[in-house]
Amino acid sequence: MSDLKTGKKTGEKVSEVKSSETGFSETAGNRRKMTFRQIIAWIAIIMLAGIYVMTLICSFIDSPLAEQMFHASLYCTFFIPVMSWVFIMTVKLVKGNGNETGEKQEDDRSEN
């Protein structure tokens, strides 16, 4: 049953209802830590946006570099995401099967 005034279920706190309805945590201080993949993705987005803006500026000011910047932006449109993916996969392989805590590796060492 739910209370008609607050819209919460019986026995629930109001903050629990708000966080479950919106999908966000109760306070802004409990933000989720950004993962390595998200950081690499944001870096790639910023790099691509930067090169697109530089290409646009060069084309507006009729710079002799405009054609070279256009070719560079086409190249980077494919190169940056592919290299980001390769970098993420390489780090994942070096760490070992996505095990970030390293518990399995420590257990193997202690048994020998």
Side-chain angles (χ1 to χ4, degrees), residues 48-66:
L48 285 173
I51 198 153
Y52 294 153
V53 168
M54 288 176 17
T55 302
L56 188 66
I57 290 171
C58 286
S59 66
F60 281 151
I61 62 174
D62 198 24
S63 172
L65 296 176

Side-chain angles (χ1 to χ4, degrees), residues 8 14-15 20 23-24 34 46 48 55 59-60 85 91 97 102:
K8 67 174 183 168
V14 175
S15 62
S20 65
F24 296 111
M34 284 186 66
I46 291 168
L48 285 173
T55 302
S59 66
F60 281 151
W85 180 80
V91 170
N97 295 332

Side-chain angles (χ1 to χ4, degrees), residues 5-67:
K5 290 182 182 178
T6 61
K8 67 174 183 168
K9 294 180 183 175
T10 309
E12 279 187 293
K13 295 179 182 176
V14 175
S15 62
E16 290 175 356
V17 173
K18 287 180 183 176
S19 65
S20 65
E21 289 173 355
T22 60
F24 296 111
S25 61
E26 309 176 14
T27 62
N30 292 337
R31 290 186 183 172
R32 194 179 66 143
K33 183 179 162 186
M34 284 186 66
T35 64
F36 177 72
R37 285 182 174 182
Q38 290 173 330
I39 293 169
I40 297 299
W42 275 109
I43 290 171
I45 289 168
I46 291 168
M47 288 173 64
L48 285 173
I51 198 153
Y52 294 153
V53 168
M54 288 176 17
T55 302
L56 188 66
I57 290 171
C58 286
S59 66
F60 281 151
I61 62 174
D62 198 24
S63 172
L65 296 176
E67 187 175 345

